Amino acid sequence: MFERLIPKLRVNTVFDIALEELYALGYRGIITDLDNTLVGAKAPLATPELLLWFAKVKELGFKLIIVSNNNMDRVSRFATPLNIEFVHQARKPSNTPFLKAMKQMGLKPEQTIVVGDQMLTDVYGGNRLGLYTVLVLPISVKDEGIGTRFNRRVERIATTRLRKQGLWHEEDKP
């Protein structure tokens, strides 16, 4: 039941993703969440380290798009100055925003990576479409809204059950 919540890769931050290896495997696009994936939920701008990561993503040849359940104002203020395309009020884990993002990038599921901090939205949505899912640790849990806090409780239940089934191993985590 909870198998669709298991990401292909678990890392601490986006900076821990082996981009070169994924590019060599044929991946060409990254759909990334914004809040608590790239920056804290209340951080208005990209950090200098994140700007370097964006430059590396682009230099390697990846296409990048932000897909967020947050509103237009929040996502636009972050993405527009960086010239990054985005889908706001995405309603993840619905298929629609992932399909829209892939269409905008001109890519197929087998060429696309999804990066996010939530199993119930980012990982589940990406896994349903056969995308390569990467789960990062949330940057600032204290800034999360009530909906995300609820999701985190469900995630704890899911990981407990997956551990009991032998499908979730803490040693897989760096």
Side-chain angles (χ1 to χ4, degrees):
M1 176 177 178
F2 291 113
E3 288 82 5
R4 284 199 175 173
L5 298 177
I6 301 172
K8 304 287 186 291
L9 176 67
R10 291 166 36 207
V11 294
N12 289 326
T13 71
V14 295
F15 311 115
D16 300 318
I17 301 169
L19 294 171
E20 296 89 348
E21 290 176 24
L22 292 171
Y23 194 86
L25 291 171
Y27 294 100
R28 296 296 181 261
I30 299 171
I31 296 171
T32 182
D33 181 40
L34 172 57
D35 295 323
N36 276 333
T37 297
L38 297 177
V39 294
K42 293 189 177 177
L45 303 171
T47 63
E49 186 180 24
L50 187 59
L51 293 175
L52 292 173
W53 187 78
F54 287 146
K56 180 179 179 182
V57 165
K58 186 176 182 179
E59 179 185 307
L60 287 171
F62 281 104
K63 295 179 182 182
L64 177 78
I65 188 166
I66 294 171
V67 175
S68 173
N69 284 347
N70 214 324
N71 63 49
M72 172 73 162
D73 187 51
R74 162 66 175 145
V75 184
S76 177
R77 274 196 223 178
F78 181 89
T80 302
L82 302 171
N83 200 28
I84 296 174
E85 290 188 62
F86 62 89
V87 176
H88 67 285
Q89 292 179 323
R91 302 195 188 284
K92 294 180 288 182
S94 167
N95 288 344
T96 305
F98 296 103
L99 294 171
K100 181 177 181 179
M102 285 188 290
K103 184 175 182 178
Q104 283 180 243
M105 292 189 292
L107 297 174
K108 298 174 183 173
E110 61 272 14
Q111 298 173 295
T112 307
I113 301 163
V114 175
V115 180
D117 67 301
Q118 289 191 62
M119 294 165 64
L120 294 179
T121 56
D122 308 303
V123 174
Y124 178 64
N127 280 347
R128 284 188 355 200
L129 290 171
L131 311 181
Y132 185 90
T133 51
V134 179
L135 181 67
V136 299
L137 294 176
I139 293 171
S140 181
V141 177
K142 65 179 176 18
D143 292 337
E144 293 179 335
I146 193 163
T148 304
R149 288 184 201 162
F150 174 80
N151 284 352
R152 298 274 183 230
R153 288 185 184 147
V154 175
E155 288 177 2
R156 281 193 292 275
I157 293 167
T159 54
T160 298
R161 292 206 178 147
L162 289 167
R163 269 188 213 100
K164 287 179 182 176
Q165 295 173 5
L167 299 172
W168 191 273
H169 307 281
E170 293 310 315
E171 60 270 12
D172 293 346
K173 183 84 182 57

